[in-house]
Amino acid sequence: VQCRGALIRTADLHLLRTVQDVVRLGRVTAVRPNRLELEKGTMPLEPGSLLVDCTACGTGGYTANYDVWSPGHIRLSSNLTLFNPSHSSALVAYIETTSTDAAAKNKFIAHSAASPLLVVDGSPNFHGHLSQLVQGVYSELKTMRAIQAHGKKSFNFYFAARTNYVAPCHVPLRKTLWVMFGPARLDKKATRLMRKIERVGFEDMPPVDPRPRKAAASPARMVA
């Protein structure tokens, strides 16, 4: 099972639904000068047609085997909030203001060089595997609760930031509270999921040790 992590605004989704000319011939297998070849047939192309590939994975290319902060450097990460790189960047910027100590800031992040998440078959890249999705959810929950525990100011920033898709400016607060603490009990389910991941894991994903570990040697760094 794989997930693509498509990134799209609600307004874009409404616009897509207005498209009337929809071709349902399966995936594209080849692009020719005068036609598209698909799994179940072909589609003619007018000369000069512009083709836009919108099939890329929304989280492809991101890794999770390094520390975000090191002296004089910040390495950006997409995994602070799953499928929301804008909010992830906002959180990195906010955490940067909380301390001058890189180790203290890295404690907000579930993945690091010492405790890599998302690793499948030796690769730390997100490839859409279901186990990586579960680890990504775990990482986001750990970061969210670390920020909540940091204090009221940090808690307010996390939930009020306009880049957070469940912020009150996007979703009524009463609806969020109802989902979290009402009959759905999403908050309690999140706690149970974290405990399962840390204690027994899943069939294709070993348990994650939540305890801090000594940092491993970091790969070549990129300056943000």
Side-chain angles (χ1 to χ4, degrees):
V1 178
Q2 288 191 326
C3 58
R4 300 293 292 174
L7 304 177
I8 188 171
R9 299 183 306 162
T10 302
D12 297 329
L13 182 60
H14 291 327
L15 188 61
L16 282 174
R17 287 171 175 164
T18 66
V19 176
Q20 299 297 316
D21 187 9
V22 179
V23 177
R24 301 188 184 280
L25 294 175
R27 298 178 182 274
V28 175
T29 58
V31 178
R32 307 300 182 190
N34 61 345
R35 70 183 185 279
L36 278 180
E37 296 181 1
L38 302 101
E39 292 174 325
K40 301 177 182 179
T42 61
M43 176 183 172
L45 293 176
E46 295 290 336
S49 295
L50 174 65
L51 303 179
V52 180
D53 183 2
C54 300
T55 62
C57 180
T59 58
Y62 293 103
T63 60
N65 64 339
Y66 55 82
D67 293 320
V68 175
W69 283 273
S70 60
H73 294 79
I74 299 176
R75 292 195 65 182
L76 298 182
S77 166
S78 72
N79 197 45
L80 305 194
T81 53
L82 200 62
F83 305 144
N84 191 345
S86 297
H87 193 43
S88 176
S89 298
L91 291 179
V92 169
Y94 178 79
I95 295 171
E96 170 67 12
T97 70
T98 64
S99 173
T100 57
D101 180 55
K105 289 180 283 193
N106 280 320
K107 289 182 179 180
F108 287 97
I109 314 302
H111 69 71
S112 67
S115 180
L117 295 176
L118 309 186
V119 176
V120 171
D121 297 330
S123 171
N125 289 300
F126 186 93
H127 296 297
H129 296 284
L130 182 58
S131 60
Q132 292 177 319
L133 175 62
V134 174
Q135 291 178 4
V137 172
Y138 170 81
S139 179
E140 178 172 352
L141 289 171
K142 292 288 285 188
T143 295
M144 178 181 71
R145 296 196 172 188
I147 291 176
Q148 291 176 358
H150 188 252
K152 183 177 180 180
K153 183 178 179 181
S154 298
F155 177 89
N156 289 341
F157 175 84
Y158 185 94
F159 282 103
R162 65 181 179 83
T163 51
N164 185 353
Y165 49 75
V166 296
C169 61
H170 303 302
V171 180
L173 181 59
R174 64 182 183 277
K175 182 178 291 188
T176 300
L177 293 176
W178 179 254
V179 171
M180 295 294 291
F181 305 108
R185 297 181 179 271
L186 188 60
D187 185 70
K188 181 174 289 188
K189 290 178 180 176
T191 299
R192 290 171 57 189
L193 175 64
M194 292 168 63
R195 288 176 178 171
K196 177 174 176 56
I197 291 173
E198 293 173 356
R199 294 178 181 178
V200 296
F202 291 87
E203 182 178 353
D204 58 348
M205 186 185 81
V208 173
D209 188 349
R211 296 172 299 178
R213 282 178 270 180
K214 183 178 179 181
S218 300
R221 300 183 184 278
M222 296 182 298
V223 180

